[in-house]
């Protein structure tokens, strides 16, 4: 099944669960969040995207990831947020 997501620039891109897994794994400490937890969450996101009638935006997916990480590990949340939201300095966190 070919499912697209809406990118920030307005273009459509084929949904790739591996991008979600890879992005989260870059942010986490595997002693705090297991690979199994990451894969289970990525599958939840995939189901959400597949079941949506309209293309889901990358912003919505990023928000889902941030909310999930917030419940798992604060440091991982901050790491992901700093890349996802392109923070350039500490003031950007406010």
């Amino acid at each position: 099944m070919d499912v697209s997501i809406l990118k920030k620039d307005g273009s459509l891109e084929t949904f790739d669960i591996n991008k979600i897994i890879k992005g989260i794994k870059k942010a986490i400490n595997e002693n705090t969040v297991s690979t199994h937890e990451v894969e289970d969450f990525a599958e939840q996101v995939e189901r959400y995207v597949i079941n949506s009638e309209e293309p889901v935006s990358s912003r919505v997916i990023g928000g889902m990831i941030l909310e999930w990480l917030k419940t798992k590990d604060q440091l991982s949340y901050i790491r992901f947020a700093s890349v996802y939201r392109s923070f350039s300095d500490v003031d950007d966190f406010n």
Side-chain angles (χ1 to χ4, degrees), residues 55-87:
V56 176
S57 73
S58 58
R59 173 169 273 185
V60 168
I61 293 171
M64 291 172 71
I65 294 169
L66 286 171
E67 287 301 312
W68 182 77
L69 282 173
K70 193 185 291 187
T71 68
K72 296 293 177 184
D73 179 49
Q74 289 291 306
L75 184 55
S76 298
Y77 166 81
I78 292 168
R79 282 186 195 124
F80 188 87
S82 68
V83 173
Y84 176 70
R85 294 192 174 144
S86 303
F87 294 158

Side-chain angles (χ1 to χ4, degrees), residues 19-76:
K19 280 188 169 184
I20 292 174
I21 293 169
K22 183 178 175 183
I24 293 172
K25 281 187 169 186
K26 284 182 179 181
I28 66 167
N29 174 344
E30 290 191 13
N31 295 324
T32 307
V33 183
S34 72
T35 298
H36 180 72
E37 289 177 287
V38 172
E39 290 171 352
D40 283 351
F41 173 71
E43 289 173 4
Q44 290 174 26
V45 173
E46 181 179 48
R47 281 191 296 276
Y48 176 81
V49 171
I50 288 171
N51 291 322
S52 178
E53 292 184 22
E54 298 291 323
V56 176
S57 73
S58 58
R59 173 169 273 185
V60 168
I61 293 171
M64 291 172 71
I65 294 169
L66 286 171
E67 287 301 312
W68 182 77
L69 282 173
K70 193 185 291 187
T71 68
K72 296 293 177 184
D73 179 49
Q74 289 291 306
L75 184 55
S76 298

